[in-house]
Amino acid sequence: MRRRTGVRIAFSSMLLVGTWASASLTSTAGAAPAPTPAPASAGMLTAMQDDFGLTEGQARERLASEKTAIRVDRAAQRAAGSTYAGSWYDAKTGKLTVATTSAAKSEALRETGATVRVVRHSEKELNAVKARIDDLSAPKGVSSWHVAPRSNKVVVNVVAAQQNDNDVQRFVDRARKAGPVQVATVDKAPSTFAAGTVGGDPYYTGNVRCSIGFSVHGGFVTAGHCGQTGAAVRGWDNSAIGNFRGSSFPDNDYAWVSVGNGWWTVPVVLGWGTVSDQLVRGSNEAPIGASICRSGSTTHWHCGNVLAKNETVNYSQGAVHQMTKTSVCAEGGDSGGSFISGDQAQGVTSGGWGNCSGGGETWYQPINEILNRYGLTLHTA
């Protein structure tokens, strides 16, 4: 990386544009000790206060309870085994609910600290339903579809203005034949967040500006729609960074870029001088309902909640699978940027709808899938 003056600049060229249904029984775990406030950067706390309307103390408490929820979810998956039917976090109670198809597993699951709900379909069964829907060809009026643990169904999202379209109706009818399906409407269709060349601290490939997601040993990960394998990547000063060593879009939306030519990597999500930089310490997956923040050069820091996992998003270029949906806003140029929960890397920005003035939703490709696909190691502090 070429050096520039100032604290903000120290990491900017590294991180560039985006940087870093059928419930039958419910039971609740006994009272647990209050979680220890989690360490967090000033930037993370500021963003959570701004986007969630929290005090600093409340933001710290939420991060701590979400960290506990991640641990509880891992233990609950082991305890539930094949009866596991997903989980979700409730910010109001600070509790994680775990669904199971077996009432006999309830006591063991409560012992992990989870609230328990007994449902009809396991996560494996619902994933199989979603896989059958993935094999269908979706029209533009179908936005996405995902497994929803709360409803214990697969939710198919259609654009409200096109819900009565014949092609949309045919898709929905075929989807319902695949298994338990719930139809919901959304305001707009999703699109990717790449942008033409603009100023700031971007990385460029051709005339496209996108965002670095997370540093890995030997390079960084980003969105696949930002460049094809072999494409050259330039930094903010137009100097060569490296090349796309792997890229997949559609079907997936991930890529990785090698780093050289005097540039190097650091385990940091950039705050762009507005908030403090955030160190990356791992990639433990946050549950549905948890808070999550995104960094990008176009819109800087914004936070929201995890809304759904394993969602198939139907872009105009084709469907992208295994995405995570959030209530975080994003805009053009944020593609590829970092989604982070506390100090844990979550994924790279893919696309969505809306903007950061009026709101919207954004999807990201989970980081662990990218690391596993290319055999990469996350650079952590």
Side-chain angles (χ1 to χ4, degrees), residues 123-172:
E123 183 179 64
K124 183 178 180 180
E125 291 170 337
L126 292 177
N127 283 340
V129 173
K130 179 183 174 293
R132 289 192 285 272
I133 299 175
D134 284 344
D135 289 336
L136 304 178
S137 178
K140 292 182 179 180
V142 176
S143 170
S144 62
W145 52 96
H146 68 274
V147 171
R150 278 191 180 95
S151 65
N152 198 229
K153 295 181 179 180
V154 175
V155 174
V156 175
N157 296 298
V158 301
V159 179
Q162 300 179 56
Q163 60 182 314
N164 295 322
D165 179 86
N166 289 337
D167 290 338
V168 171
Q169 289 297 313
R170 277 194 291 270
F171 180 89
V172 169

Side-chain angles (χ1 to χ4, degrees), residues 39-321:
S41 73
M44 178 68 72
L45 295 172
T46 298
M48 292 184 69
Q49 290 174 74
D50 290 344
D51 288 330
F52 293 127
L54 303 175
T55 65
E56 180 179 339
Q58 289 171 332
R60 290 185 182 276
E61 289 175 3
R62 178 160 177 176
L63 286 171
S65 65
E66 289 175 353
K67 188 173 184 179
T68 298
I70 291 172
R71 186 184 69 248
V72 169
D73 195 28
R74 290 200 299 265
Q77 289 186 48
R78 291 192 295 269
S82 62
T83 76
Y84 182 76
S87 66
W88 59 94
Y89 172 81
D90 187 336
K92 292 182 180 179
T93 64
K95 292 288 187 179
L96 183 81
T97 298
V98 174
T100 176
T101 58
S102 173
K105 294 284 188 178
S106 296
E107 185 59 34
L109 289 171
R110 283 196 297 269
E111 290 176 358
T112 69
T115 296
V116 181
R117 180 176 294 178
V118 178
V119 296
R120 181 176 179 181
H121 307 287
S122 70
E123 183 179 64
K124 183 178 180 180
E125 291 170 337
L126 292 177
N127 283 340
V129 173
K130 179 183 174 293
R132 289 192 285 272
I133 299 175
D134 284 344
D135 289 336
L136 304 178
S137 178
K140 292 182 179 180
V142 176
S143 170
S144 62
W145 52 96
H146 68 274
V147 171
R150 278 191 180 95
S151 65
N152 198 229
K153 295 181 179 180
V154 175
V155 174
V156 175
N157 296 298
V158 301
V159 179
Q162 300 179 56
Q163 60 182 314
N164 295 322
D165 179 86
N166 289 337
D167 290 338
V168 171
Q169 289 297 313
R170 277 194 291 270
F171 180 89
V172 169
D173 289 343
R174 295 180 67 188
R176 286 192 168 119
K177 293 177 181 178
V181 162
Q182 174 184 347
V183 178
T185 59
V186 295
D187 292 336
K188 297 180 181 179
S191 62
T192 56
F193 284 126
T197 300
V198 296
D201 275 324
Y203 83 79
Y204 300 102
T205 176
N207 67 343
V208 172
R209 171 173 66 88
C210 278
S211 309
I212 287 178
F214 294 94
S215 289
V216 296
H217 291 289
F220 64 81
V221 294
T222 186
H225 70 263
C226 292
Q228 297 181 346
T229 302
V233 173
R234 310 184 311 279
W236 60 268
D237 60 354
N238 209 39
S239 67
I241 295 178
N243 296 83
F244 279 85
R245 298 290 300 277
S247 180
S248 177
F249 180 80
D251 187 29
N252 306 292
D253 194 6
Y254 51 58
W256 82 282
V257 174
S258 61
V259 167
N261 304 301
W263 297 69
W264 68 89
T265 63
V266 289
V268 170
V269 171
L270 191 64
W272 300 100
T274 302
V275 298
S276 301
D277 298 337
Q278 177 71 34
L279 290 174
V280 178
R281 301 188 184 278
S283 58
N284 290 321
E285 185 177 347
I288 293 171
S291 65
I292 194 164
C293 296
R294 181 194 54 72
S295 180
S297 66
T298 302
T299 56
H300 299 170
W301 274 97
H302 284 279
C303 296
N305 297 309
V306 177
L307 300 179
K309 295 184 179 182
N310 191 21
E311 182 153 29
T312 298
V313 181
N314 189 36
Y315 293 129
S316 61
Q317 300 93 330
V320 176
H321 305 94

